[in-house]
Amino acid sequence: MNGAPDLKLYVELAYLVAAIMFIVGLKKLSSPLSARQGNLIAAWGMGLAVAVTLLDGSMFTKFVGGELFGLWIILGGILIGGVIGAVWARTVAMTAMPQMVAAFNGSGGLAAALVSWAEYFKLVRELPAGTAAMNPGITFSPVLGALIGGISFTGSVLAWGKLQGVINEKPLTFPGQRPVNMMLFAVTVCLGAWLAFTGNPLAFVVFLALALLIGWMFVAPIGGGDMPVVISLLNSFTGLATALTGFALQNNVLIISGTLVGASGTMLTLLMCKAMNRSIGNVLFSAFGSATASGVGTGPGGIAKVVREVSVEDAAVMMAYARQVVIVPGYGLAVAQAQHVARELADMLEKRGVIVKYSIHPVAGRMPGHMNVLLAEANVPYTSLYDMDVINPEMERTDVALVIGANDVVNPAARYDKSSPIFGMPILDVDKAAHCIVMKRSMKPGFAGVDNELFYEKKTMMLFGDARDSLQKLVNAVKEA
Amino acid sequence: MNEGIQLVAALAPIYVFALSVFVGYEVISKVPVVLHTPLMSGSNAIHGIVLVGAMLVAGSADTLLFKVLGFLGVICGTVNVVGGFLVTDRMLQMFKKKPGGAEGRS
């Protein structure tokens, strides 16, 4: 440590600068005009923090002394991880963004768990021979860090799998699930507490395995539609796990940044739940979207329900001669990659003097803002996008509401059916428009797994088929109309 | 005296933690829905700072286990950092006004 204190001072100051850059970056990220700059500032802060870490006392003296193996591990790891991260982030399709965030989050969670593992083993090793008692004030952080990091890792992997379609996105439920999960959690916490007081490397590995299992069990009963909220929550988990590794390593930048993400992530999660008018508990524990949770029968019900289909030509004429058309995009638009054709249609209509407005439900798609990103990609000016609160009063004056691959966000059952899992969620009032054209591939229910009354209403017409195909046909038909 | 200083030093991380919680809440309090996803993605990249922790483990590793844990930790942390910032930037790029597209309209 001789001579190291001076260096340590500069390292710490650089960490402080990095932490401030993260805070400024996050602040700027919350406003549309400065968001990109904010992200860049945070990235530079990260670069700074990583660079100065190489000067860290214990490590640097080793490197200077010619012991370079650790340096090669670090640089090699950064190179490999950097290539994986860069290639993955560059090549992923815009529709796959949500699961991408989940995957990166899981990666961070795993890193936190691994660091916690190493720290715990170090603490056990430093114990004077013969003693078995640990100082729980010090050991709690790697133990808790491993627990939360582990949960975040497997939870994120499962969230990724569900969104990617690798794993069935339906909630997985079994009888006695909640007691089993609670037991599992209780056992793990007890083991963790015991580990904090006594040093036992082997039991720690078992503990870590249990944490991984909990992460899986925790996300399994949650349906694909709720994954955005889950990812946001797991994001804050990883933040917290990171902060805990900071406690173990006595590193302030880890504590500040991790806590920052933990707190802001929790806040963001609550904001997302608020947008759906549901509580966080309801999202996590109600197995939302499973067949048992749906009040309305999803099968062919007792009442003869009639669905009216509309031909492309009729739909085109209706829109071409409308005064105002409201386009409601949903996840189907993203899946079909139909955003460009949707804009083409809107342009055609506008040329004919039709007022075209896009209305975005706060939770349309798989993530808040999902639709905005897609439409922005198709160069739709953001002045044409309307929030739910703004557009709903206008629905009555709208001639045609064109629903493209959206389902739950336009389901009127949310207004009156108390047994429906989406009851209470504010919806887009497309049923108040003079006509409602719903573009869908089939009558399959949405993520919430509930049937949609809207499809059986008199004013509603269905246009079945792939959204992109149908929109292309509509564009051609409008040209001729 | 010395004991008092030690106590303050021991509590410093708790201070940092507690204050960071409030900063985190304050920073996010008012965000338009449009930016929820980029913000989640951006903060996701920031917790990639765990990379620093992994580097500290890897750099001072003296047994095979620590070397392996450090190496894997550095890889995972870097994936989180690099992927996180790049994917956020890609998302945000789409919000900026495009010179060709936006001008001819409105």
Side-chain angles (χ1 to χ4, degrees):
Chain A
M1 286 298 234
N2 300 345
D6 285 330
L7 209 52
K8 191 171 169 52
L9 179 69
Y10 294 120
V11 171
E12 285 298 322
L13 283 176
Y15 280 160
L16 179 65
V17 173
I20 291 171
M21 288 170 88
F22 291 151
I23 296 171
V24 173
L26 264 187
K27 186 72 207 165
K28 283 186 179 269
L29 262 170
S30 23
S31 155
L33 288 176
S34 59
R36 204 162 169 221
Q37 193 194 7
N39 187 50
L40 207 63
I41 292 174
W44 278 109
M46 185 65 71
L48 175 68
V50 169
V52 298
T53 301
L54 288 172
L55 301 177
D56 178 87
S58 56
M59 223 150 73
F60 191 64
T61 41
K62 265 194 175 182
F63 299 159
V64 172
E67 248 185 277
L68 288 175
F69 189 73
L71 184 65
W72 295 131
I73 300 183
I74 291 174
L75 295 182
I78 288 180
L79 185 70
I80 295 171
V83 169
I84 296 173
V87 170
W88 208 354
R90 286 254 175 250
T91 53
V92 66
M94 278 321 271
T95 41
M97 283 298 167
Q99 52 264 50
M100 193 79 263
V101 177
F104 292 145
N105 182 57
S107 187
L110 180 59
L114 293 171
V115 172
S116 300
W117 184 355
E119 281 312 302
Y120 185 81
F121 273 40
K122 260 185 207 164
L123 288 171
V124 172
R125 196 177 59 176
E126 282 159 13
L127 216 60
T131 45
M134 310 275 283
N135 179 355
I138 297 170
T139 38
F140 86 94
S141 57
V143 170
L144 206 53
L147 177 64
I148 300 175
I151 289 175
S152 184
F153 171 57
T154 42
S156 300
V157 169
L158 188 51
W160 171 82
K162 284 191 176 199
L163 287 179
Q164 188 73 25
V166 182
I167 297 161
N168 190 348
E169 67 177 8
K170 281 262 178 305
L172 173 85
T173 50
F174 56 85
Q177 186 170 29
R178 217 174 299 172
V180 167
N181 282 357
M182 277 160 85
M183 279 275 281
L184 177 68
F185 191 67
V187 168
T188 310
V189 168
C190 289
L191 180 59
W194 180 74
L195 280 168
F197 283 95
T198 53
N200 190 326
L202 198 66
F204 188 86
V205 177
V206 175
F207 173 71
L208 193 56
L210 283 173
L212 296 177
L213 183 63
I214 290 177
W216 195 272
M217 302 287 275
F218 165 62
V219 176
I222 307 173
D226 282 334
M227 278 311 130
V229 178
V230 173
I231 295 169
S232 176
L233 186 69
L234 291 172
N235 181 37
S236 65
F237 275 18
T238 306
L240 194 57
T242 301
L244 286 161
T245 62
F247 278 106
L249 291 160
Q250 294 170 359
N251 185 305
N252 277 329
V253 76
L254 284 174
I255 300 179
I256 297 175
S257 328
T259 312
L260 201 61
V261 177
S264 61
T266 308
M267 185 79 187
L268 196 58
T269 311
L270 295 175
L271 283 177
M272 284 177 172
C273 289
K274 209 174 139 198
M276 294 193 291
N277 201 17
R278 291 168 58 201
S279 71
I280 180 79
N282 178 273
V283 171
L284 299 180
F285 301 116
S286 66
F288 189 75
S290 67
T292 47
S294 76
V296 189
T298 45
I303 322 150
K305 292 173 176 171
V306 186
V307 172
R308 292 205 301 157
E309 271 194 68
V310 66
S311 69
V312 170
E313 288 72 24
D314 286 348
V317 169
M318 277 168 65
M319 286 193 283
Y321 294 96
R323 205 172 43 81
Q324 174 160 301
V325 172
V326 170
I327 297 179
V328 180
Y331 188 60
L333 179 93
V335 172
Q337 282 287 297
Q339 63 271 33
H340 296 281
V341 205
R343 193 201 132 198
E344 209 181 314
L345 178 66
D347 284 354
M348 300 268 312
L349 292 172
E350 275 175 341
K351 256 185 223 154
R352 302 182 60 112
V354 182
I355 303 167
V356 181
K357 292 177 175 172
Y358 298 83
S359 64
I360 314 280
H361 190 278
V363 296
R366 287 291 175 96
M367 286 210 147
H370 200 173
M371 292 301 122
N372 305 67
V373 172
L374 281 179
L375 293 176
E377 190 196 349
N379 277 328
V380 174
Y382 62 85
T383 44
S384 305
L385 310 183
Y386 291 82
D387 281 342
M388 182 168 61
D389 308 336
V390 182
I391 204 79
N392 268 349
E394 281 195 33
M395 282 296 186
E396 280 172 16
R397 282 177 277 130
T398 300
D399 301 293
V400 181
L402 180 65
V403 180
I404 309 174
N407 192 344
D408 296 329
V409 298
V410 293
N411 191 341
R415 290 199 209 111
Y416 58 81
D417 183 1
K418 283 196 177 142
S419 64
S420 171
I422 58 168
F423 176 71
M425 181 173 87
I427 59 160
L428 287 163
D429 299 330
V430 290
D431 53 339
K432 293 203 175 132
H435 301 281
C436 180
I437 300 173
V438 179
M439 302 178 69
K440 243 177 123 14
R441 265 188 299 192
S442 67
M443 287 301 285
K444 225 177 86 187
F447 300 126
V450 283
D451 205 1
N452 196 333
E453 289 293 319
L454 175 72
F455 304 159
Y456 307 104
E457 287 214 6
K458 277 184 200 149
K459 282 193 273 181
T460 308
M461 285 159 282
M462 306 296 290
L463 186 55
F464 289 114
D466 175 73
R468 188 153 62 170
D469 284 354
S470 301
L471 280 169
Q472 193 58 60
K473 284 181 197 153
L474 274 177
V475 169
N476 297 339
V478 167
K479 260 183 212 158
E480 287 160 21
Chain B
M1 273 299 278
N2 204 5
E3 259 176 40
I5 292 170
Q6 272 180 359
L7 188 66
V8 170
L11 280 179
I14 311 277
Y15 274 67
V16 172
F17 176 78
L19 294 176
S20 302
V21 169
F22 284 98
V23 175
Y25 267 102
E26 279 308 310
V27 162
I28 299 294
S29 53
K30 285 190 201 83
V31 189
V33 173
V34 192
L35 286 176
H36 279 182
T37 304
L39 190 65
M40 186 209 283
S41 179
S43 63
N44 170 52
I46 289 177
H47 67 49
I49 189 78
V50 69
L51 167 60
V52 164
M55 287 168 72
L56 292 173
V57 169
S60 57
D62 46 9
T63 67
L64 182 65
L65 178 70
F66 289 153
K67 281 171 189 163
V68 171
L69 289 179
F71 183 57
L72 293 178
V74 170
I75 292 178
C76 291
T78 313
V79 168
N80 190 175
V81 168
V82 175
F85 282 121
L86 282 180
V87 101
T88 311
D89 191 61
R90 256 188 81 188
M91 278 184 214
L92 293 170
Q93 226 168 353
M94 300 196 160
F95 286 105
K96 78 168 183 214
K97 282 187 188 154
K98 286 168 193 168
E103 271 172 17
R105 303 164 54 83
S106 81

